[in-house]
Amino acid sequence: MAAPAFLASWIKAQRLKAPRMKDAPTFYRNLEEALDVRRTDHAMVTRTQSTWKTGEAIDFCSNDLLSLGSTGRLRTEFLEELARNPDFPLYAGGSRLMDGNYDYIEKVEQEIAEFHGTETALILNSGYEANGAIYTAIPRPGDAIVYDELVHASTHDGMAHSLALCKMPFRHNDVDSFRDILASIVDSQPLIKDGSRSVLISVESIYSMDGDICPIEELIEVAKEVCTKGNAVFIVDEAHATGIIGPNGAGLICELGLQNEIAIRLHTFGKALASSGAVILGNQTVRLALMNFARSVIYTTAPSFPAVAAIRSAYNLLRSGATQEYQEKIQHLVKHFLTTITSNEVWDEANDMGILSIPVSDNWEFRDFVTHIVPVWTRQRYNFWLVFHLQLSNISAFPIDYPVVPKGQSRIRLMFHAANTEADVELLASSICEWAKEMIAIEKGGDSKSKIPKAAQQIYAMMADV
């Protein structure tokens, strides 16, 4: 589906449906009324296929960060791995606690643990299930959880079913706020103050909607100062650092040499590793607690051999250093984009007027590394207009809206990939600035004949024909 038709079809799906269902069964009408709330906010999710998948657009949105999927590199390694195990079963046979355990998955888990510098690893079917397992199985009654306000939805869902009754957020990446919250918990919770219960601190190494990096070293120092009994432990979600940051893509914690400071780490395989599933890293006690208390481990079928073989294939590439050049390519492309867009003649004015903002561009030259996630901010009512412009420029990018981000904080999240080129990045930057220039003219009044940019006019016109 070409970009204009793709967009027009998506917009049509946002039209309210419940008012036209007066004679429909109550059950379905009530569901549509709930869906209409999403449609009202233009947040209705539909079954679509991104235009980059059909070769009609450049991918700046998918999770195939190292491009192991799109280039076929992982497929080749995967088929070789299967060839080395020709009699592999297609099924697991049950839960890990019963008939679903097998030698191959145990071997791969040990390889992963050694790669990340920890004692044990436990593979689960998804990152969502893994976070659920952590927060339902690990906190004990009387423990407290302190978490960054922007942790993933799966972490929130896990915490909602946690045995820890005290759960308090701190402002995103704000070390002072973290200190205040941690100190308040120590002061108000006698069992934590005397060291008989623990504080579990939940953060992400790279935040998925903002692209910024956790100040983990500073947080660790504060935790040691405030929790003098040594009962503060860290849980770090490395989903977006896996394969991207650290030696051979081992993650931020390995990059900083903090393996012994972190109790639990989560790495996922559905992003840079182009597979599926996740792994929880920790010592033997953590692994046993997960296997005995985590419902998403106990009451589900274990990952199958082919799924684990795909994971192993990805780690084979990481371990061999084959993906190092892809990591470096992403670093280069993001830096090239930030340099290109901030040096455009439109940038300063668009930034000053609030039409265009890229928070991660501030002082990026002084950082040791950048991330693959670059959110672009504009006025909230302009988000879709910018997306329309990019899609019509054959650039696949999407807005991130509530409930994924808080209301009033929608943005376009750009994802950079190893297979992108400098020319792709330059087109992206010039397209954004071209749109910003048009919006500057509209806001200033000038000779603009419409208050709606050309790309949006084109899409709105197509809607009538869809």
Side-chain angles (χ1 to χ4, degrees):
M1 183 184 293
F6 163 79
L7 287 169
S9 176
W10 179 85
I11 292 173
K12 183 179 180 180
Q14 309 307 311
R15 292 175 177 171
L16 302 185
K17 190 171 181 180
R20 293 176 278 127
M21 297 181 63
K22 293 180 180 180
D23 297 326
T26 300
F27 174 75
Y28 296 109
R29 187 174 65 251
N30 288 345
L31 287 176
E32 289 295 351
E33 286 175 353
L35 290 170
D36 277 353
V37 175
R38 287 289 183 89
R39 293 182 178 110
T40 299
D41 293 332
H42 290 160
M44 175 69 175
V45 177
T46 59
R47 291 185 301 169
T48 58
Q49 185 170 332
S50 296
T51 48
W52 68 265
K53 285 191 172 183
T54 59
E56 297 170 292
I58 303 167
D59 179 13
F60 279 107
C61 60
S62 85
N63 282 332
D64 186 20
L65 307 171
L66 294 175
S67 301
L68 298 180
S70 62
T71 62
R73 186 69 188 272
L74 182 63
R75 184 191 305 110
T76 298
E77 182 66 28
F78 173 66
L79 293 175
E80 291 175 359
E81 178 66 15
L82 293 183
R84 290 189 286 267
N85 299 271
D87 297 324
F88 68 88
L90 288 172
Y91 59 94
S95 135
R96 287 296 294 271
L97 276 63
M98 298 184 68
D99 300 313
N101 205 29
Y102 49 99
D103 290 342
Y104 185 81
I105 193 172
E106 293 272 358
K107 180 178 181 180
V108 173
E109 285 175 336
Q110 191 54 43
E111 290 174 353
I112 292 173
E114 292 172 1
F115 177 79
H116 291 288
T118 192
E119 185 179 344
T120 73
L122 182 66
I123 296 175
L124 284 85
N125 289 304
S126 73
Y128 187 94
E129 287 189 6
N131 261 332
I134 292 169
Y135 292 98
T136 56
I138 298 302
R140 298 293 88 203
D143 287 348
I145 302 175
V146 174
Y147 59 97
D148 188 293
E149 63 182 348
L150 296 188
V151 292
H152 194 265
S154 58
T155 299
H156 284 281
D157 288 354
M159 289 192 296
H161 295 90
S162 168
L163 293 177
L165 298 180
C166 179
K167 292 165 277 195
M168 296 184 67
F170 63 94
R171 287 192 299 274
H172 176 54
N173 275 356
D174 189 321
V175 177
D176 291 333
S177 174
F178 172 69
R179 182 190 298 275
D180 292 342
I181 295 298
L182 194 58
S184 71
I185 287 178
V186 172
D187 290 340
S188 64
Q189 304 290 319
L191 294 178
I192 289 174
K193 191 169 187 176
D194 69 17
S196 59
R197 291 294 183 269
S198 301
V199 181
L200 284 62
I201 301 160
S202 176
V203 296
E204 299 180 10
S205 52
I206 297 174
Y207 286 88
S208 59
M209 296 300 133
D210 292 76
D212 51 0
I213 299 167
C214 175
I216 186 67
E217 292 172 302
E218 297 173 70
L219 298 182
I220 290 172
E221 289 303 311
V222 169
K224 289 179 178 179
E225 293 172 13
V226 176
C227 296
T228 57
K229 301 294 184 180
N231 56 333
V233 297
F234 281 82
I235 301 171
V236 181
D237 185 335
E238 294 238 58
H240 273 280
T242 308
I244 302 297
I245 301 297
N248 291 346
L252 179 67
I253 300 307
C254 287
E255 170 70 15
L256 300 176
L258 299 174
Q259 295 93 317
N260 295 330
E261 301 284 351
I262 308 300
I264 299 173
R265 281 176 278 164
L266 167 67
H267 287 268
T268 61
F269 311 136
K271 298 178 176 64
L273 303 194
S275 306
S276 62
V279 68
I280 301 172
L281 308 177
N283 66 14
Q284 188 65 33
T285 300
V286 168
R287 178 183 165 95
L288 286 172
L290 290 166
M291 295 189 72
N292 281 273
F293 303 140
R295 296 172 72 86
S296 58
V297 175
I298 299 169
Y299 298 108
T300 191
T301 301
S304 67
F305 187 101
V308 177
I311 294 166
R312 190 187 199 191
S313 300
Y315 271 93
N316 287 344
L317 295 174
L318 295 182
R319 192 180 301 107
S320 70
T323 61
Q324 189 65 45
E325 64 177 297
Y326 304 151
Q327 282 182 250
E328 295 169 359
K329 177 77 174 298
I330 292 172
Q331 290 290 307
H332 169 71
L333 290 174
V334 173
K335 292 175 182 178
H336 184 58
F337 171 75
L338 294 175
T339 299
T340 302
I341 196 166
T342 57
S343 62
N344 189 284
E345 62 181 6
V346 171
W347 172 260
D348 287 337
E349 186 175 9
N351 193 255
D352 291 342
M353 293 178 65
I355 291 174
L356 206 56
S357 173
I358 301 178
V360 297
S361 68
D362 294 340
N363 300 315
W364 68 265
E365 304 96 328
F366 303 104
R367 299 182 202 137
D368 293 333
F369 50 83
V370 294
T371 75
H372 55 284
I373 303 168
V374 179
V376 177
W377 288 69
T378 182
R379 303 196 197 288
Q380 292 296 290
R381 64 183 184 278
Y382 291 174
N383 271 314
F384 284 97
W385 290 353
L386 176 52
V387 168
F388 295 161
H389 186 93
L390 293 175
Q391 289 281 352
L392 293 180
S393 300
N394 294 322
I395 294 170
S396 190
F398 291 94
I400 305 294
D401 294 304
Y402 175 83
V404 179
V405 294
K407 287 185 176 180
Q409 296 185 29
S410 299
R411 78 288 305 261
I412 289 89
R413 185 182 67 163
L414 302 176
M415 304 282 276
F416 288 77
H417 311 85
N420 291 137
T421 66
E422 285 191 357
D424 294 340
V425 166
E426 289 163 6
L427 174 64
L428 173 65
S430 64
S431 295
I432 293 172
C433 290
E434 179 183 53
W435 173 85
K437 184 177 182 179
E438 185 180 6
M439 294 311 302
I440 289 172
I442 287 175
E443 287 201 359
K444 286 184 173 181
D447 297 327
S448 178
K449 296 180 179 179
S450 173
K451 295 296 183 181
I452 300 176
K454 294 176 182 177
Q457 291 181 41
Q458 182 176 343
I459 299 302
Y460 293 152
M462 289 190 63
M463 285 177 60
D465 301 325
V466 174

